[in-house]
Amino acid sequence: MSAREKGGPVRTVTHYVNGQTSTGSGGRRQPVFNPATGERIAEVVLGTAADVDHAVESAARGAERWGEVSLGRRQGILFRFRELMDVRREDLAKAVTREHGKVLDDARGEVARGLEVLEFACGIPHLLKGDFSENVSTGVDAHSIRQPLGVVAGITPFNFPVMVPMWMLPVALACGNAFVLKPSEKDPTPSLMLAEMATEAGIPDGVLNVVQGDAEVVDALLVHEGIAAISFVGSTPVARHVYRTATDCGKRVQALGGAKNHLVVMPDADPDLAADALVSSAYGSAGERCMAISVGVLVGSIGDEVRKRVQERASRLTVTDGSEDGADMGPLINRAHLERVAGLVAEGEAEGAELVLDGRGLQVRGREGGFFLGPCLFDHVTPEMEIYRQEVFGPVLSLVRVDTSGDALGLVNRNHYGNGLSVFTDSGAAARYFTSKCTVGMIGINVPIPVPMAYYSFGGWNDSLFGANHIHGPDGVAFYTKGKAVTVRWPQKSAGLDMGFTSHD
Ligand code: NAD
């Protein structure tokens, strides 16, 4: 057993406020694990309301100056941030794999998706262009502008420690706001790396701050008078709490919650394509993606063909340390989550679903302390079962059999989540039917994980998102700015009193 496993000294993951690292005011700390080994590799400081005050004060000073910085200069700094992140993408990806456990190649993909949002934000001079109407009344012109909100905060989940903060902060900063980030306490290091890069790129001190912590910090952010808006991504119960508390305090809120994404396989689909898609999207990142497919809806006669192919492919996956060559799937985030997911598998079995593949009890040689669960596959799952009802967030795929496309759509739309839906079919009419009628925010036709590009916006419906705005893309710009309509007249001489309501001639 190493000194670190015995509880010896490890690296401390700090806050980042006003351009400097700090251990803050509180005494509480929490271990950070490498999920592939179970080893304690760092300790993260857990902030307090006093740390939030300190960060918001620093951000308020930052926002005052930053909001006045010209668009061209802001853009130049964002370009430099983009260059630094690009050069260091491998360091970021390795940090993600070390603390989250996902396969290195997947971590590289997450960094790439984060970079894409930064690239979108580099276009801010174009994105903030307002409208102009000449002569709305005689000699009167009208135009619109969008202005920053001031200090905004982001609260992020463990499953994308680079990408989800990058969904928020580049757009918020580009719009002229200062940002306070509260990353997940389970994998906090990549956020610090991003903040340090931003400073190096020229983002002024105080404009991007990171407060580490848990619910105590979140709750302090939600009610803080100095914060104008909250972006949240995480599970539905916490998203609901964040939305209610922060809107009650008069803040603008976008709170993205959990998911239960379905992939519908129509009878005319290619069963090999559909099986490839089901396996990659259900077991990629060990199912810890908000866009993971956790339910395969097999319509009619194709059911047995698809099941056979999914079983073959899933049983061949290599589950090991995500930093190892050839790994298809890494561990789950921690032991508590592993036990929760294994418990749901047991419940599914007890409720009568057919357990086709059982990944429980998997031991990875040389990584005996890791939080591993192999691929689990259920068939003949019904909507009443817990394994269907709950967001499992692990490598568990449930197959549900239905007779018609109408049954498939009904199943999807009765689910209280509404994040993503995928439909595999060769029929344009079927694709159009699902696209038009489904009550989810993001749909893929023959695309298993339909994550929108950075220049579109990302967000679900129903219990997958609370608030009006989706995240990043055009909705992100709208969320992080306030609109102002300006009406202008430059009179040459007095026209006398006009006591009436404006007439437009
Ligand atoms: P989580 O809800 O447990 O935590 C998210 C954030 O909230 C963390 O920063 C955490 O510290 C904080 N938090 C946790 N409990 C809290 C509480 N009681 N009060 C206040 N704050 C609290 O989520 P997670 O386990 O880190 O991430 C997984 C979840 O995130 C899944 O449900 C997944 O679907 C969801 N997710 C959604 C999206 C999306 O775009 N909709 C994207 C990624 C992840």
Side-chain angles (χ1 to χ4, degrees):
M1 188 182 265
S2 73
R4 287 187 296 188
E5 283 173 293
K6 284 185 203 145
V10 289
R11 176 172 58 89
T12 300
V13 186
T14 63
H15 308 301
Y16 191 81
V17 177
N18 205 27
Q20 287 177 347
T21 56
S22 115
T23 51
S25 66
R28 288 195 306 137
R29 292 181 174 213
Q30 181 171 308
V32 178
F33 294 98
N34 177 343
T37 60
E39 191 186 10
R40 193 169 66 100
I41 51 171
E43 210 172 49
V44 60
V45 295
L46 298 177
T48 61
D51 295 316
V52 170
D53 281 344
H54 180 46
V56 176
E57 276 161 28
S58 149
R61 287 193 300 275
E64 220 169 280
R65 296 190 306 269
W66 181 241
E68 300 289 321
V69 169
S70 74
L71 287 177
R73 195 163 147 61
R74 264 190 247 159
Q75 184 186 38
I77 292 172
L78 289 169
F79 268 119
R80 276 201 294 283
F81 187 7
R82 190 261 164 213
E83 291 310 302
L84 285 174
M85 196 174 156
D86 184 39
V87 169
R88 295 185 198 156
R89 53 166 87 206
E90 193 65 11
D91 294 346
L92 278 166
K94 283 183 178 156
V96 170
T97 294
R98 207 174 302 125
E99 292 185 2
H100 175 282
K102 67 178 69 173
V103 168
L104 189 55
D105 208 38
D106 192 28
R108 291 184 183 117
E110 141 162 28
V111 175
R113 297 314 294 259
L115 257 170
E116 286 167 13
V117 181
L118 185 44
E119 285 160 2
F120 166 78
C122 286
I124 197 65
H126 177 72
L127 296 166
L128 282 184
K129 281 197 294 199
D131 295 320
F132 188 94
S133 303
E134 189 186 25
N135 241 12
V136 291
S137 188
T138 307
V140 177
D141 302 328
H143 67 275
S144 64
I145 51 179
R146 298 206 69 88
Q147 296 186 320
L149 304 180
V151 179
V152 300
I155 299 156
T156 55
F158 79 82
N159 67 323
F160 284 107
V162 168
M163 184 184 78
V164 173
M166 293 303 287
W167 279 356
M168 304 171 182
L169 68 91
V171 183
L173 297 184
C175 291
N177 302 285
F179 198 82
V180 179
L181 172 66
K182 203 305 280 175
S184 171
E185 63 277 33
K186 292 171 187 152
D187 43 15
T189 301
S191 296
L192 267 190
M193 296 168 74
L194 290 172
E196 284 169 350
M197 270 179 230
T199 299
E200 200 178 329
I203 298 277
D205 292 349
V207 174
L208 174 57
N209 307 276
V210 180
V211 182
Q212 308 286 359
D214 53 18
E216 186 176 336
V217 170
V218 173
D219 288 343
L221 289 168
L222 301 183
V223 299
H224 200 292
E225 283 185 353
I227 293 175
I230 301 273
S231 296
F232 171 89
V233 177
S235 60
T236 288
V238 184
R240 193 179 277 119
H241 159 69
V242 165
Y243 186 76
R244 285 185 180 151
T245 311
T247 52
D248 215 33
C249 293
K251 299 186 197 318
R252 191 178 279 203
V253 184
Q254 52 180 185
L256 283 72
K260 191 83 188 175
N261 305 311
H262 297 61
L263 187 153
V264 175
V265 187
M266 292 295 288
D268 62 357
D270 177 328
D272 283 308
L273 274 184
D276 286 343
L278 279 164
V279 171
S280 338
S281 58
Y283 302 114
S285 197
E288 290 175 329
R289 290 182 183 138
C290 63
M291 289 296 271
I293 293 295
S294 54
V295 183
V297 186
L298 312 183
V299 183
S301 54
I302 199 165
D304 290 343
E305 285 299 299
V306 173
R307 169 193 155 149
K308 189 174 76 187
R309 286 165 167 78
V310 168
Q311 182 178 355
E312 278 164 12
R313 286 160 170 77
S315 54
R316 286 202 309 265
L317 294 177
T318 304
V319 184
T320 184
D321 187 329
S323 62
E324 295 279 309
D325 286 343
D328 292 313
M329 201 176 101
L332 291 176
I333 185 70
N334 58 26
R335 185 159 302 284
H337 189 50
L338 168 65
E339 283 166 6
R340 177 184 167 270
V341 177
L344 279 165
V345 173
E347 213 168 329
E349 231 184 338
E351 285 183 316
E354 181 191 355
L355 186 55
V356 180
L357 284 177
D358 185 355
R360 289 172 296 177
L362 177 77
Q363 285 288 321
V364 174
R365 263 185 63 202
R367 302 284 186 278
E368 285 76 12
F371 312 132
F372 291 100
L373 177 68
C376 300
L377 175 66
F378 279 108
D379 197 1
H380 302 291
V381 172
T382 61
E384 303 74 37
M385 294 175 180
E386 280 306 306
I387 200 78
Y388 176 83
R389 288 159 56 84
Q390 289 205 32
E391 180 186 32
V392 179
F393 222 56
V396 181
L397 175 62
S398 295
L399 300 180
V400 179
R401 307 294 189 108
V402 298
D403 293 330
T404 65
S405 55
D407 296 340
L409 182 74
L411 183 76
V412 169
N413 286 356
R414 278 192 298 278
N415 198 282
H416 67 101
Y417 293 111
N419 218 38
L421 167 67
S422 175
V423 180
F424 273 66
T425 182
D426 268 356
S427 154
R432 194 166 186 280
Y433 169 71
F434 281 98
T435 304
S436 166
K437 302 287 180 200
C438 72
T439 54
V440 303
M442 295 169 282
I443 175 161
I445 303 300
N446 299 315
V447 172
I449 306 182
V451 175
M453 297 302 291
Y455 36 90
Y456 286 81
S457 299
F458 180 109
W461 287 16
N462 306 327
D463 285 351
S464 293
L465 189 146
F466 303 91
N469 289 110
H470 290 197
I471 211 161
H472 68 64
D475 267 26
V477 176
F479 182 76
Y480 290 124
T481 52
K482 278 185 290 203
K484 201 175 261 182
V486 188
T487 309
V488 184
R489 171 160 55 197
W490 296 105
Q492 301 302 306
K493 59 180 170 48
S494 168
L497 291 178
D498 178 359
M499 309 297 282
F501 205 61
T502 314
S503 69
H504 299 289
D505 34 66

